[in-house]
């Protein structure tokens, strides 16, 4: 008798975490199925629904933060959750990935939260800013990899929205002013799997690995922090989550909780992969059995190779790069506004750059560092300020650190560099404007 169960991992992108979970399921003696665009189908006939592939349980790994239409993916996950047990259920994912919803969910409990203000009127939001002192955190309610988060001064005016996303103010909790740091605690099924300390890179205060932050493993998690992480995951209702905490002068505070936290930085810091623990929970949810010792042994390796079950099949359509033109209509946002502009694609530029006037118009900044940019025959390059902006291309959002320059004599106020173009194919024959001039 075959007692194996089938675990579907719902993921429409090419993810190391998805591969790692599927490989762990297979290594534990069960069947892993990648649910994606080229194989997923739901059919309803005579009031009877059929899911193909026919899996026993679904692990939700949909990334909602980067897309401009997260409701579409939430709706997809909600549809499937009506048919099969789902780990990280859609309603709880919504609570987690919307940062202010996380805060209001936890506000009446024992979890210590930074003070925060959400106001839909610009005058009201800026009036409330005064109570936070000289510096305050300004962030979009939906963000990713540290994007959409700024530390601003009391005299900087902000908007209630950055692009199409609401933003709010949050108290700055910072005990170690020389180098900002926080904790990422990874929780699976009510247990702490691994914990790392994250340090902000030079000239920044955000600790995200995607932004260049460094990490180290933490073996002895402070009791208050451990209890807080477990309480947060349980209250929000997540089966697995990365919980981010920061220590203030009077104890630990919750920064946010991530329902699709990555594994790469955590494994680098701790030598522990959460994937086998997620696989174990999914298998047991479907009625299967696993050996705990084998789970612990598998966790010592992050196997993110292509799973054998899908290695010879076509790659997910979502993995194929979208096409962007030589010039492209984009939305560019800062802390005080959003503008639609025509941008030029330049695969020779490592970094996106923005005109000083456009940057002032949208409230790009504050200046976070200086970068050297080569200019003409100058080998050494010249230093330019770097500011955070959010660029909307098609249906995707990109938060990048753009160099600031005077582009008034050029045709395009925004130049898209490889920090954005790496995710696209550039068709130099395609243009969205009629301009014939060259920069």
């Amino acid at each position: 008798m075959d007692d194996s169960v089938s675990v579907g991992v719902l993921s429409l992108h090419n993810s190391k975490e998805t591969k790692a979970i599927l490989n762990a399921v297979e290594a534990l003696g069960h069947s892993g199925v990648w649910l994606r665009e080229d194989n997923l189908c739901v059919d309803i006939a005579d009031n009877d629904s059929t899911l193909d592939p026919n899996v026993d349980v679904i692990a939700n790994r949909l990334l909602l933060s980067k897309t401009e239409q997260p409701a579409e993916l939430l709706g997809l996950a909600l549809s499937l959750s009506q048919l099969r047990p789902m780990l990280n259920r859609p309603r709880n994912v919504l609570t987690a990935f919307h940062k202010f919803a996380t805060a209001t969910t936890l506000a009446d409990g024992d979890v210590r939260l930074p003070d925060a203000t959400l106001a839909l009127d610009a005058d009201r939001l800026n009036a409330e800013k005064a109570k936070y002192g000289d510096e305050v955190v300004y962030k979009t309610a939906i963000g990713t990899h540290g994007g959409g988060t700024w530390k601003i001064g009391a005299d900087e005016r902000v908007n209630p929205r950055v692009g199409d996303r609401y933003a709010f103010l949050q108290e700055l909790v910072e005990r170690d002013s020389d180098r900002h740091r926080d904790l990422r605690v990874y929780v699976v099924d009510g247990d702490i799997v691994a914990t790392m300390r994250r340090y902000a890179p030079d000239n920044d205060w955000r600790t995200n690995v995607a932004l260049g932050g460094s990490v180290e493993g933490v073996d002895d998690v402070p009791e208050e922090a451990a209890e807080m992480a477990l309480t947060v995951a349980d209250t929000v209702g997540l089966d697995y989550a990365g919980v981010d905490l920061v220590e203030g002068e009077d104890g630990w505070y919750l920064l946010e909780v991530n329902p699709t936290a990555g594994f790469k930085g955590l494994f680098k810091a701790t030598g522990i992969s959460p994937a086998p623990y997620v696989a174990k929970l999914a298998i047991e949810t479907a009625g299967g059995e696993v050996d705990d010792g084998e789970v612990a042994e598998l966790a010592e390796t992050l196997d993110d190779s292509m799973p054998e079950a899908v290695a010879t099949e076509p790659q997910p359509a979502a993995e194929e790069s979208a096409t962007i033109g030589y010039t492209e209509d984009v939305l560019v946002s800062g802390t005080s506004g959003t503008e639609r502009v025509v941008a030029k694609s330049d695969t020779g530029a490592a970094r996106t750059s923005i005109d000083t006037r456009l940057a002032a118009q949208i409230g790009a900044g504050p200046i976070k560092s200086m970068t050297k940019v080569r200019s003409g025959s100058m080998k050494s390059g010249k230093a330019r300020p770097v500011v955070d902006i959010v660029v909307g291309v098609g249906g995707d959002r990109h938060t990048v650190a753009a160099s600031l320059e005077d582009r008034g004599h050029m045709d395009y106020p925004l130049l898209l560099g490889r920090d954005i173009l790496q995710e696209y194919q550039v068709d130099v024959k395609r243009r969205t404007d009629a301009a014939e001039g060259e920069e």
Side-chain angles (χ1 to χ4, degrees), residues 114 154 185 189 212 214 257 287 293 326 364 380 384 396 399:
V185 184
D189 194 25
S214 57
V257 54
Y326 175 77
S380 60
R384 289 179 183 163
D396 290 327
T399 300

Side-chain angles (χ1 to χ4, degrees), residues 102-350:
T102 303
T104 55
T105 298
L106 297 164
D108 295 329
D110 296 328
V111 174
R112 188 182 290 112
L113 303 169
D115 293 345
T117 301
L118 173 72
L120 305 189
D121 175 76
D123 290 337
R124 176 66 182 274
L125 185 65
N126 284 278
E128 295 285 341
K129 183 154 49 67
K131 67 187 180 186
Y132 290 99
D134 294 336
E135 288 186 314
V136 62
V137 176
Y138 172 72
K139 60 172 64 175
T140 55
I142 302 173
T144 182
H145 300 315
T149 302
W150 295 264
K151 184 165 63 172
I152 64 171
D155 59 343
E156 295 180 61
R157 186 171 176 83
V158 296
N159 270 1
R161 297 170 74 103
V162 175
D164 57 356
R165 295 192 174 174
Y166 289 111
F168 64 97
L169 302 172
Q170 188 181 70
E171 174 191 6
L172 175 63
V173 180
E174 197 167 42
R175 195 183 75 165
D176 304 299
S177 58
D178 55 333
R179 191 181 185 194
H180 194 74
R181 64 179 186 174
D182 62 21
L183 281 185
R184 160 66 61 85
V185 184
Y186 206 99
V187 178
V188 180
D189 194 25
D191 291 319
I192 294 175
V193 169
T195 302
M196 66 178 173
R197 184 170 285 110
R198 308 186 300 178
Y199 294 92
D202 294 338
N203 300 314
D204 206 335
W205 62 283
R206 297 165 300 178
T207 61
N208 302 72
V209 175
L211 299 176
S214 57
V215 296
E216 66 178 10
V218 177
D219 295 326
D220 187 17
V221 185
E223 184 177 353
E224 181 188 359
E227 291 180 356
M228 185 175 291
L230 294 175
T231 299
V232 168
D234 180 61
T235 304
V236 176
L238 295 176
D239 301 293
Y240 44 86
V243 182
D244 296 340
L245 308 171
V246 64
E247 189 175 15
E249 296 293 346
D250 53 349
W252 290 91
Y253 288 77
L254 172 72
L255 290 178
E256 58 188 71
V257 54
N258 189 332
T260 50
F263 300 165
K264 183 178 178 181
L266 187 72
F267 183 76
K268 176 183 177 182
T270 67
I272 299 174
S273 167
Y277 294 96
V278 175
K280 172 182 182 292
L281 177 58
I283 292 166
E284 291 179 342
T285 298
E289 296 182 355
V290 297
D291 180 87
D292 289 342
E294 193 173 359
V295 171
E297 183 177 345
L298 287 172
E300 296 177 0
T301 303
L302 179 59
D303 182 3
D304 56 8
S305 61
M306 182 64 77
E308 290 186 11
V310 297
T312 58
E313 295 183 11
Q315 295 299 303
E319 187 181 357
E320 298 176 2
S321 299
T323 300
I324 191 172
Y326 175 77
T327 61
E328 195 77 24
D329 282 317
V330 303
L331 289 173
V332 56
S333 304
T335 60
S336 60
T338 297
E339 293 291 330
R340 181 176 291 278
V341 301
V342 177
K344 173 189 170 184
S345 301
D346 185 356
T347 56

